[in-house]
């Protein structure tokens, strides 16, 4: 298995660093990005480096803009009602929690910028595949680049656009689709309007579907065919296309490559366990930080030698913790009373190690997706809804449900996947509410960053900003 090593120098040449022009796609360096990828080794190094940017381990080029913090934390804060409260000092996250974001919100800006940086690297790789002479390697590289581009557009359209289903034709504004590499001033100067949500989802599905046919089943510690399938299942579920979401989830489960760990804490305390389908590799050198960024920094409040580990900025509400059965191992082993503040204040124990890997998709999600889709479709593909639901429940030490309802499956999903970045997206796809806000309220959509609006006259701002 290959160890993820961040190739910072090549990532810089590839244009991962931010700039002030248009969609932040122009490389700062004077080296033409088109000449940076001249060999297969260059392309692989670029791919490896991009994984560091996904989590914020880019050697100072990125912090927690993507899976290292914001793609997890922001969806939880946007749907904070009845689950968490923000107790930190960062105004940008307080704006998100209160749904009072400004167009200058830092979290919106840095998430947008870094996601497009990843997309640009993927575009560079796709346009440089003629440099690869080995056919199998070329196929795998194409699949991996499409996977990276596809998941970034999926995350962007879910955060920066009204949700799928908000209009009958899904012709509400999405995000700009940039499908060719930006390698010089002329391309960086181009302005692009926002594509529709339907068009963005079409591109996401195209990239991820192709990735599932091109990526290897075993890709070491990098994303594999099954990671692409798991994301594809997420996309279809977001669209309420239950038959296709079911098929993709079932293929991941039936591969036999993944098993539930015996303990609910194992996937968060150990690296690359049997349950993890895709996770970001971290270590003491490569992580989003231990002071002002990172999941552990913001979620944790753990005593350690008289000092607290983590800022304890995200407090879990007592009522949410108490919504678990009293003997549920997820309640007893994954929540704790922290050291920040007086009284009984709970914190999630999922993110308790600055240097631990970050699971992005794991098997329990696929089981709950299959259970939900089978229940909605009145089918038993792969297993009955009860079998899949109870596999997750029994692992947590709670009683099985013989004939689960849809509400019970959705509730289990909320309990099992809490603080893994899915909360607002599940509310939107099920047309629910958070507090007094309906699923399609513009306040639950992040602003297009002001700096992008100022630089690109074709960009239209989201309502309310």
């Amino acid at each position: 298995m290959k160890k993820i090593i961040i190739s910072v120098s090549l990532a810089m040449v590839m244009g991962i660093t931010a700039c002030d022009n248009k969609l932040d796609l122009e490389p700062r360096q004077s080296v033409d990005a088109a000449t940076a990828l001249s060999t297969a080794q260059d392309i692989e190094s670029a791919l490896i480096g991009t994984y560091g940017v996904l989590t914020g381990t880019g050697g100072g080029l990125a912090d927690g803009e993507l899976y290292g913090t914001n793609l997890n934390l922001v969806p939880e804060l946007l749907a904070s009602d009845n689950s968490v409260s923000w107790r930190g000092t960062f105004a940008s996250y307080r704006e998100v929690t209160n749904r009072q974001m400004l167009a200058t919100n830092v979290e919106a800006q840095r998430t947008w910028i870094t996601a497009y940086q990843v997309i640009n690297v993927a575009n560079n790789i796709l346009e440089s595949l003629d440099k690869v002479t080995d056919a199998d390697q070329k196929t795998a590289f194409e699949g991996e680049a499409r996977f990276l581009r596809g998941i970034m557009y999926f995350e962007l359209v879910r955060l920066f656009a009204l949700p799928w289903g908000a209009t009958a034709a899904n012709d509400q504004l999405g995000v700009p689709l940039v499908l060719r590499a930006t390698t010089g001033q002329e391309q960086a100067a181009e302005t692009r309007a926002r594509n529709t949500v339907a068009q963005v989802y079409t591109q996401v599905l195209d990239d991820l579907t192709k990735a599932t046919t091109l990526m290897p089943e075993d890709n070491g510690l990098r994303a594999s065919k099954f990671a692409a399938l798991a994301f594809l299942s997420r996309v279809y579920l977001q669209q309420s296309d239950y038959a296709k979401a079911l098929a993709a989830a079932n293929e991941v489960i039936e591969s036999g490559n993944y098993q539930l760990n015996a303990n609910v804490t194992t996937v968060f305390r150990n690296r690359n366990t049997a349950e993890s389908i895709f996770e970001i590799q971290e270590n003491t050198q490569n992580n989003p930080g231990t002071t002002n960024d990172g999941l552990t920094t913001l979620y944790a409040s753990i005593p350690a030698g008289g000092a607290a580990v983590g800022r304890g900025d995200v407090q879990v509400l007592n009522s949410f913790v108490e919504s678990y059965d009293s003997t549920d191992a997820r309640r007893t082993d994954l929540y704790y009373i922290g050291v920040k503040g007086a009284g009984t204040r709970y914190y999630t124990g999922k993110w308790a190690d600055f240097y631990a890997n970050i699971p992005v998709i794991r098997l329990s999600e696929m089981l709950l997706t299959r259970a939900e889709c089978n229940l909605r479709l009145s089918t038993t593909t792969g297993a009955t809804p009860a079998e899949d639901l109870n596999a997750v429940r029994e692992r947590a030490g709670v009683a099985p449900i013989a004939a689960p309802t849809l509400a019970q499956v959705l509730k289990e999903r909320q309990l099992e996947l809490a603080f893994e970045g899915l909360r607002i997206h599940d509310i939107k796809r099920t047309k629910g509410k958070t507090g007094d806000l309906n699923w399609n309220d513009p306040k639950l959509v992040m602003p297009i960053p002001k700096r992008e609006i100022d630089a690109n006259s074709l960009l239209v701002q989201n309502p309310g900003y």
Side-chain angles (χ1 to χ4, degrees):
M1 301 228 296
K2 299 177 182 177
K3 182 179 179 182
I4 298 292
I5 301 173
I6 307 306
S7 178
V8 176
S9 59
L10 182 59
M12 289 176 67
V13 174
M14 284 295 301
I16 288 178
T17 53
C19 71
D20 293 326
N21 279 319
K22 308 301 180 252
L23 295 175
D24 290 279
L25 300 175
E26 177 197 354
R28 278 184 181 173
Q29 288 67 34
S30 59
V31 178
D32 188 334
T35 67
L37 299 182
S38 58
T39 67
Q41 184 177 358
D42 291 341
I43 292 175
E44 184 162 33
S45 294
L47 281 169
I48 292 171
T50 305
Y51 284 91
V53 182
L54 287 181
T55 185
T57 59
L61 300 180
D63 295 308
E65 292 90 346
L66 302 178
Y67 294 110
T69 305
N70 277 1
L71 295 183
N72 175 305
L73 181 57
V74 167
E76 300 295 332
L77 295 182
L78 280 173
S80 58
D81 303 274
N82 303 317
S83 62
V84 299
S85 66
W86 174 258
R87 303 184 63 84
T89 59
F90 295 127
S92 56
Y93 287 123
R94 187 178 304 110
E95 288 178 10
V96 174
T97 307
N98 294 336
R99 279 75 61 125
Q100 295 177 346
M101 288 172 284
L102 304 174
T104 54
N105 182 271
V106 171
E107 309 315 325
Q109 178 173 299
R110 68 189 189 125
T111 299
W112 175 285
I113 289 171
T114 310
Y116 272 107
Q117 290 162 0
V118 171
I119 289 166
N120 193 43
V121 176
N123 288 338
N124 268 282
I125 290 168
L126 291 170
E127 293 180 11
S128 302
L129 291 174
D130 59 335
K131 310 294 197 310
V132 184
T133 56
D134 182 277
D136 290 340
Q137 191 177 44
K138 182 177 182 178
T139 296
F141 287 167
E142 180 184 351
E144 205 162 356
R146 287 186 177 277
F147 169 79
L148 292 168
R149 186 172 69 180
I151 65 174
M152 285 297 95
Y153 273 125
F154 181 48
E155 302 293 2
L156 284 169
V157 77
R158 289 196 298 176
L159 287 175
F160 290 93
L162 287 169
W164 181 270
T167 65
N170 288 295
D171 54 359
Q172 66 270 34
L173 292 178
V175 297
L177 286 173
V178 183
L179 302 177
R180 68 167 185 163
T182 299
T183 58
Q185 290 283 352
E186 181 179 351
Q187 291 155 320
E190 294 178 359
T191 56
R192 294 175 176 85
R194 297 171 66 179
N195 291 83
T196 67
V197 165
Q199 289 169 332
V200 177
Y201 268 89
T202 295
Q203 183 60 47
V204 169
L205 290 172
D206 182 67
D207 274 339
L208 290 178
T209 300
K210 288 176 179 174
T212 65
T213 68
L214 298 170
M215 297 174 75
E217 294 189 2
D218 184 353
N219 199 23
L221 299 183
R222 293 176 6 219
S224 69
K225 166 185 176 177
F226 298 108
L229 277 166
F231 262 99
L232 197 58
S233 180
R234 273 189 183 179
V235 177
Y236 285 130
L237 193 64
Q238 200 70 39
Q239 294 179 303
S240 299
D241 190 337
Y242 301 117
K244 290 180 180 177
L246 170 61
N250 186 62
E251 187 170 350
V252 174
I253 298 166
E254 293 300 308
S255 72
N257 290 344
Y258 310 98
Q259 296 82 39
L260 287 179
N261 298 320
N263 192 289
V264 297
T265 62
T266 301
V267 73
F268 303 105
R269 304 288 183 267
N270 299 273
R271 300 178 186 277
N272 309 305
T273 69
E275 185 174 336
S276 182
I277 299 168
F278 176 56
E279 67 182 54
I280 303 296
Q281 310 297 308
E282 292 192 324
N283 55 44
T284 55
Q285 286 75 44
N286 301 310
N287 58 80
T290 61
T291 304
N292 293 321
D293 222 339
L295 299 179
T296 300
T297 300
L298 300 176
Y299 274 114
S301 179
I302 306 171
V309 171
R311 294 171 54 98
D313 288 345
V314 184
Q315 178 193 345
V316 184
L317 300 183
N318 290 26
S319 59
F320 185 80
V321 177
E322 292 161 1
S323 67
Y324 292 80
D325 288 349
S326 59
T327 58
D328 192 323
R330 293 168 300 192
R331 174 173 175 170
T332 58
D333 297 351
L334 286 174
Y335 293 97
Y336 60 92
I337 298 174
V339 299
K340 183 176 182 180
T344 302
R345 291 184 180 173
Y346 283 102
Y347 299 86
T348 177
K350 288 185 175 180
W351 315 112
D353 182 347
F354 291 119
Y355 314 121
N357 285 359
I358 300 174
V360 176
I361 292 192
R362 53 195 183 93
L363 181 62
S364 60
E365 179 186 341
M366 294 295 99
L367 291 170
L368 292 171
T369 295
R370 189 169 71 174
E372 178 184 342
C373 293
N374 270 326
L375 195 57
R376 289 183 183 274
L377 297 170
S378 299
T379 55
T380 56
T381 299
T384 67
E387 288 170 333
D388 281 337
L389 174 69
N390 291 328
V392 175
R393 287 178 61 82
E394 291 174 2
R395 191 264 296 269
V398 292
I401 300 174
T405 64
L406 178 60
Q408 287 172 320
V409 172
L410 292 175
K411 176 66 173 179
E412 199 67 36
R413 182 181 176 92
Q414 183 183 84
L415 298 177
E416 173 70 16
L417 303 175
F419 315 115
E420 296 182 49
L422 300 178
R423 187 172 174 86
I424 193 62
H425 304 311
D426 278 347
I427 288 173
K428 289 180 177 181
R429 72 177 181 84
T430 58
K431 296 179 170 54
K433 296 181 70 172
T434 177
D436 295 327
L437 300 179
N438 289 320
W439 63 281
N440 56 353
D441 195 299
K443 291 182 179 179
L444 300 177
V445 179
M446 300 191 81
I448 305 300
K450 182 178 184 298
R451 56 178 280 167
E452 308 301 331
I453 297 287
D454 290 344
N456 182 353
S457 62
L458 296 182
L459 283 180
V460 176
Q461 183 59 272
N462 282 323
Y465 298 105

